């Protein structure tokens, strides 16, 4: 704690960034943000799913099956966005030495991995009626699978250090290495895919009616808020675990329970 | 000048160790041989079938064999304390790591690519395909070891380090795998492998520029 | 080039409010002291008090949690890698290589060019000349320790051959007397005394009290 506070003496002094770079200051704010994000995610998901499942028309080619895109596409987007966010916080942590940045990275990883799994499962459920098989080595599905491996590697590495500080910095480094590799892997897989098989119908690739697009956009925001809420929740748990002996935490928790 | 002295010393020591301990290069080769000969038992021995999977099997086998050598980069030195000589050296750590990876790549890359054509015979691959495969193994081993040096540095003497190294490194080697095996496939189909070779070389140069710096940072993190 | 000059000049160590952590727990904190050239500093303390951690921080091998430790050579700031020479618990010799190969490697890494002649001269001083081409793994524990001592002198030999009364790099010795027989202990004590007389700076950790002849001594208890 002392370190984070002493850093606030430099050129960033007084700016909001350093103020909230301390877990003690961020903890209550994170609590408020978390509640707000849960609420927004729930409302948007209800609206988005309603439009997606009841208002949007049946697809001419794919029938009702296409409706999986309202889950699949946002999840596939989120898994990419979260990896980049994770790498961003990892870089911030390595450069500025702020513990909260590392914790932010750790908090995002499981959600990113879950999004990858959701995208993969919904993708293969969609693939069964469309392609006649649960799995096709489609470029986008394959990249998502590799991204899932990168998430798992990151989490396994973070967990393999007894010294949390070391684990923070080590996993941050591997997140950065992964982030540099993600575009290379993505384009390699795309190249490989076009080389080995013709492009096939993909979820969300056909032209869409306006209501479909609306539903997908709303669902994307719902996923976005869900991910932020889940990450903040995990972050608060991590703060409680790491700072369990700190006086400020006891005071905050006592005040909250009253 | 002393940077040259230090890097030369690192390379010389690595090669001396290779000369002393035949198992350091003999074991990866044996592993490579055994992995390559397992597949026909699983898929059947028809030469048409083998020809189709041969390139992939050999390339993956070579990558796995090279990966088995990654703990060798830093683990033994961490155990006997020599790693501290490297860490406490006034010369840049990234340069010393690069020298070490270069020596390992040289020894292992040449050994693995030298036996690749032999394994290509097992899979009924024509000679030009075997030669292209051999060249790509030679180019892929340094890339793999450079990327792998980051993970090896992070996991110096960690428990379960070897398996976690594989989990971290293998996904990152997919581009190398795609274009390395792709070049040989192109030759098999009678097309030009120029694009694949160029990309393969580009990956190696990119790894050469970035990985030693990352590995140096990683080693400082894990030994702190 | 500053490094080479630094190695031949008067060393001074200034430690200010140094704190160390291990596994997230504080080991020591608020440690301040100054060590001048020609001084022998003994670091003592119970197991786990952070003796090795302190030496590793001074050698630049570990990061301090707070505060700083600065090496000065003739009032110029120098990097720990150029200012100090650390000998830890492990011997830092590879078992498969010969004594000579190991020593040449260590010298080259620390920026020296050790000639074979120099290596055999120093090994001779420790009665180890016959072992020069033996692989390190075949040596006895006592012989291994003497090899580490030979390495210390070898890394100092640049400044010794240019002897202008300067002490060369500071020595950071972690439990150097452990597992040494009586003769070798005395030999090490003599080597350290000579280093101090030449204006060198030696910091060591030790459980046991060892008789080292030194004009200026300091002690810190962690």
């Amino acid at each position: 704690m002392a370190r984070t506070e002493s850093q606030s003496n430099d050129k960033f002094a007084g700016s909001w960034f350093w103020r909230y770079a301390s877990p003690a200051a961020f903890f209550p704010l994170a609590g408020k943000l978390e509640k707000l994000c849960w609420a927004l995610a729930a409302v948007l998901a209800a609206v988005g799913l309603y439009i997606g499942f009841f208002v949007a028309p049946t697809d001419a080619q794919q029938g009702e099956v296409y409706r999986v895109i309202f889950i699949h596409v946002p999840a596939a987007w989120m898994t990419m966005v979260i990896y980049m966010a994770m790498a961003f916080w990892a870089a911030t942590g390595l450069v500025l030495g702020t513990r909260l940045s590392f914790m932010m990275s750790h908090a995002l990883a499981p959600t990113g991995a879950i999004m990858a799994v959701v995208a993969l499962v919904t993708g293969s459920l969609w693939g069964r009626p469309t392609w006649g098989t649960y799995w096709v080595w489609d470029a986008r599905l394959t990249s998502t699978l590799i991204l899932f491996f990168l998430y798992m590697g990151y989490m396994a590495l973070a967990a393999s250090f007894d010294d949390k500080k070391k684990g923070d910095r080590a996993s941050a480094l591997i997140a950065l290495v992964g982030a540099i590799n993600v575009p290379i892997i993505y384009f390699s897989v795309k190249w490989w895919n076009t080389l080995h098989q013709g492009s096939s119908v993909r979820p969300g690739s056909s032209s869409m009616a306006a209501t479909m697009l609306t539903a997908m956009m709303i669902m994307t925001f719902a996923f976005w808020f869900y991910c932020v809420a889940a990450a903040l929740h995990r972050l608060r748990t991590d703060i409680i675990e790491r700072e369990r002996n700190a006086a400020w935490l006891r005071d905050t928790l006592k005040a909250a329970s009253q | 000048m002393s940077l040259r002295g230090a890097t030369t010393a690192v390379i010389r020591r690595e090669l001396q160790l290779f000369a002393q301990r035949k198992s350091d290069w003999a074991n990866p080769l044996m592993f490579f041989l055994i992995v390559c000969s397992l597949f026909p038992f699983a898929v059947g021995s028809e030469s048409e079938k083998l020809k189709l999977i041969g390139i992939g099997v050999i390339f993956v086998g070579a990558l796995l064999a090279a990966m088995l050598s990654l703990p060798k980069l830093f683990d033994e030195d961490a155990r006997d304390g020599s790693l501290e000589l490297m860490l406490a050296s006034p010369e840049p750590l990234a340069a010393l790591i690069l020298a070490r990876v270069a020596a390992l790549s040289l020894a292992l890359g040449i050994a693995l690519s030298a036996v690749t054509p032999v394994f290509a015979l097992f899979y009924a691959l024509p000679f030009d395909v075997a030669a292209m495969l051999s060249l790509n193994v030679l180019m892929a081993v340094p890339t793999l070891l450079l990327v792998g040096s980051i993970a090896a540095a992070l996991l110096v003497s960690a428990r379960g380090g070897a398996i976690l190294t594989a989990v971290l490194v293998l996904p990152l080697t997919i581009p190398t795998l795609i274009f390395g095996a792709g070049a040989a496939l192109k030759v098999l189909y009678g097309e030009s492998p120029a694009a694949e070779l160029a990309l393969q070389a580009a990956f190696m140069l990119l790894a050469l520029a970035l990985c030693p710096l990352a590995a140096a940072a990683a080693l400082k993190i894990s030994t702190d | 080039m500053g490094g080479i000059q630094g190695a031949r000049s008067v060393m001074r160590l200034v430690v200010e409010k140094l704190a160390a952590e291990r596994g997230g727990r504080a080991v020591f904190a608020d440690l301040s002291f100054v060590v001048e050239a020609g001084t022998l500093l003994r670091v003592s303390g119970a197991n786990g008090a952070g003796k090795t951690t302190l030496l590793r921080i001074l050698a630049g091998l570990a990061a301090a949690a707070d505060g700083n430790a600065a090496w000065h050579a003739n009032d110029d700031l120098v990097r720990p890698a150029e200012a100090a020479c650390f000998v830890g618990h492990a011997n830092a010799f590879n078992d498969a290589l010969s004594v000579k190969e190991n020593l040449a490697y260590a010298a080259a890494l620390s920026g020296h060019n050790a000639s074979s002649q120099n290596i055999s001269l120093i090994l001779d001083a420790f009665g180890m000349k016959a072992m020069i081409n033996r692989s390190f793994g075949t040596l006895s524990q006592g012989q291994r320790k003497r090899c580490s001592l030979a390495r210390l002198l070898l890394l100092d030999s640049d400044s010794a051959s240019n002897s202008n009364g300067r002490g060369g790099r500071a020595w950071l010795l972690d439990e150097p007397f452990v597992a040494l027989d009586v003769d070798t202990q005395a030999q090490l004590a003599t080597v350290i005394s000579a280093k101090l007389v030449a204006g060198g700076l030696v910091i060591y950790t030790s459980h046991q009290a060892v008789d080292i002849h030194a004009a200026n001594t300091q002690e810190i208890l962690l």
Side-chain angles (χ1 to χ4, degrees):
Chain A
M1 294 140 278
R3 266 177 94 198
T4 322
E5 253 107 55
S6 70
Q7 278 164 336
S8 61
N9 292 330
D10 63 19
K11 58 181 172 170
F12 292 104
S15 81
W16 60 272
F17 184 85
W18 284 115
R19 189 143 34 95
Y20 288 116
S22 136
F26 190 66
F27 187 79
L29 176 68
K32 284 184 204 132
L33 279 176
E34 186 196 328
K35 284 195 193 101
L36 181 70
C37 290
W38 281 128
L40 283 169
V43 172
L44 287 171
V47 175
L49 286 177
Y50 178 79
I51 300 178
F53 284 141
F54 300 107
V55 180
T58 306
D59 188 88
Q61 284 178 354
Q62 303 174 32
E64 301 296 343
V65 173
Y66 90 94
R67 293 185 198 273
V68 79
I69 62 162
F70 301 121
I71 309 275
H72 174 81
V73 174
W77 281 346
M78 284 322 291
T79 189
M80 298 248 226
V81 169
I82 289 176
Y83 198 89
M84 290 304 148
M86 202 177 89
F88 167 77
W89 286 116
T92 313
L94 283 177
V95 172
L96 301 177
T98 41
R99 284 176 310 147
L100 194 62
S101 315
F102 294 123
M103 289 154 88
M104 208 83 104
S105 260
H106 294 318
L108 284 164
T111 305
I114 290 169
M115 288 297 127
V117 171
V118 169
L120 290 173
V121 169
T122 51
S124 63
L125 287 180
W126 176 87
R128 178 67 191 147
T130 314
W131 295 325
T133 163
Y134 283 110
W135 182 263
V136 165
W137 290 89
D138 166 74
R140 280 198 259 177
L141 278 180
T142 310
S143 315
T144 307
L145 181 68
I146 297 169
L147 202 56
F148 173 70
F149 293 156
L150 295 185
Y151 277 118
M152 294 314 280
Y154 170 88
M155 289 191 283
L157 183 69
S160 75
F161 287 87
D162 294 326
D163 182 345
K164 284 220 165 188
K165 239 177 167 174
K166 245 186 217 184
D168 281 350
R169 296 202 294 150
S171 52
L173 190 81
I174 221 65
L176 280 184
V177 172
I180 292 172
N181 270 282
V182 162
I184 300 178
I185 292 175
Y186 182 76
F187 288 111
S188 305
V189 168
K190 235 176 130 173
W191 169 301
W192 161 81
N193 189 245
T194 50
L195 199 76
H196 288 261
Q197 64 181 72
S199 71
S200 48
V201 200
R202 293 195 197 90
S205 63
S206 48
S207 61
M208 278 194 286
T211 38
M212 292 183 191
L213 201 63
T214 314
M216 204 163 81
M217 281 303 153
I218 294 175
M219 282 309 289
T220 303
F221 283 113
F223 267 75
W224 201 296
F225 284 116
Y226 162 80
C227 291
V228 173
L232 285 175
H233 187 80
R234 212 170 281 116
L235 179 69
R236 277 164 55 90
T237 316
D238 196 20
I239 292 178
I240 291 174
E241 198 189 321
R242 291 193 193 206
E243 307 269 305
R244 57 187 176 277
N245 297 322
W248 72 263
L249 183 67
R250 239 168 289 152
D251 297 343
T252 314
L253 292 179
K254 210 178 282 171
S257 65
Q258 271 164 11
Chain B
M1 275 178 304
S2 55
L3 174 61
R4 202 168 80 192
T7 47
T8 318
V10 170
I11 293 173
R12 190 190 303 130
R13 175 175 183 264
E14 208 67 15
L15 296 180
Q16 279 165 346
L17 279 172
F18 262 108
Q20 282 289 322
R21 300 195 172 151
K22 313 275 186 288
S23 62
D24 279 354
W25 51 266
N27 287 353
L29 286 187
M30 276 316 291
F31 175 84
F32 188 21
L33 173 64
I34 292 168
V35 166
C36 288
S37 44
L38 283 182
F39 282 82
F41 295 114
V43 300
S45 57
E46 301 90 338
S47 64
E48 274 315 298
K49 213 187 255 173
L50 289 180
K51 201 182 253 176
L52 281 177
I53 64 160
I55 291 172
V57 166
I58 293 172
F59 208 85
V60 171
L63 285 187
L64 291 179
M67 233 202 41
L68 282 184
S69 302
L70 277 176
K72 217 190 86 64
L73 269 179
F74 305 114
D75 275 11
E76 192 188 7
D77 275 19
R79 236 176 293 126
D80 69 21
S82 330
L83 196 60
E84 275 161 1
L85 296 179
M86 234 164 100
L87 289 164
S89 168
E91 307 308 333
L93 184 58
L96 301 178
I97 291 177
L98 179 60
R100 174 161 286 198
V101 175
L104 188 62
S105 307
L106 194 71
L108 212 58
I110 289 177
L112 288 174
S113 76
V115 295
T116 296
V118 180
F119 297 154
L121 280 180
F122 289 7
Y123 285 90
L125 291 169
F127 180 74
D128 53 346
V129 177
M132 183 50 65
L133 198 54
S134 184
L135 173 67
N136 273 285
V137 166
L138 190 63
M139 285 165 86
V141 167
T143 314
L144 173 94
L145 291 179
L146 280 165
V147 175
S149 69
I150 303 171
L154 282 177
L155 290 164
V156 157
S157 56
R159 59 190 143 76
I163 191 87
L164 190 48
T165 307
V167 168
L168 292 178
V169 175
L170 287 177
L172 301 180
T173 60
I174 287 171
T176 313
L177 179 61
I178 289 175
F179 295 109
L185 269 178
K186 280 279 180 77
V187 174
L188 186 67
Y189 297 146
E191 294 165 41
S192 160
E196 278 83 356
L197 284 177
L199 281 163
Q200 190 77 318
F203 290 147
M204 191 161 76
L205 290 177
L206 191 67
L208 206 57
L210 296 180
C211 291
L213 294 171
L219 206 51
K220 280 185 182 141
I221 290 171
S222 64
T223 57
D224 183 16
Chain C
M1 289 296 101
I4 304 297
Q5 278 161 8
R8 283 177 201 148
S9 41
V10 180
M11 299 300 306
R12 185 162 181 262
L13 171 67
V14 181
V15 172
E16 283 172 322
K17 298 198 164 141
L18 197 68
E21 280 178 7
R22 209 173 30 221
R25 223 167 297 167
V27 190
F28 56 78
D30 210 18
L31 190 66
S32 300
F33 58 88
V34 176
V35 192
E36 304 284 350
T39 306
L40 175 69
L41 171 69
R42 178 181 167 192
V43 181
S44 52
N47 280 332
K51 301 190 291 289
T52 303
T53 309
L54 174 62
L55 254 55
R56 285 177 55 86
I57 291 174
L58 298 182
L61 291 171
D66 205 1
N68 68 82
W71 291 97
H72 302 267
N74 296 337
D75 297 325
D76 292 329
L77 211 61
V78 284
R79 290 188 298 149
E82 286 157 358
C85 186
F86 172 76
V87 178
H89 289 287
N91 287 307
F93 277 71
N94 187 294
D95 280 354
L97 299 178
S98 73
V99 173
K100 185 178 166 184
E101 285 165 343
N102 269 304
L103 287 175
Y105 173 69
L109 274 195
S110 65
H112 294 262
N113 193 4
S115 62
S116 318
Q117 197 189 357
N118 217 342
I119 290 177
S120 66
L121 214 66
I122 285 168
L123 281 175
D124 200 20
F126 286 94
M128 293 285 296
K129 196 177 173 183
M131 308 291 165
I132 189 162
N133 286 322
R134 282 266 294 275
S135 62
F136 189 73
T138 64
L139 301 184
S140 73
Q141 285 305 324
Q143 289 169 327
R144 288 169 190 221
K145 275 281 172 190
R146 271 183 273 169
C147 285
S148 326
L149 298 183
R151 188 181 60 225
L152 262 184
L153 284 188
L154 183 67
L155 300 190
D156 248 22
S157 58
D158 251 16
S159 38
S161 57
N162 280 300
S163 188
N164 43 9
R166 305 281 165 77
R169 285 181 203 211
W171 285 353
L172 305 172
L173 314 176
D174 193 12
E175 295 290 351
F177 293 101
V178 164
L180 290 189
D181 58 42
V182 182
D183 286 350
T184 321
Q185 272 194 17
Q187 205 167 15
L188 174 58
T190 316
V191 167
I192 292 176
S193 299
K195 168 93 172 168
L196 294 168
V197 169
L201 191 163
V202 179
I203 301 177
Y204 75 110
T205 65
S206 185
H207 277 87
Q208 71 230 79
V210 185
D211 212 15
I212 303 172
H213 183 72
N216 306 309
T217 57
Q218 266 173 262
E219 182 158 352
I220 43 173
L221 182 73
L222 288 179

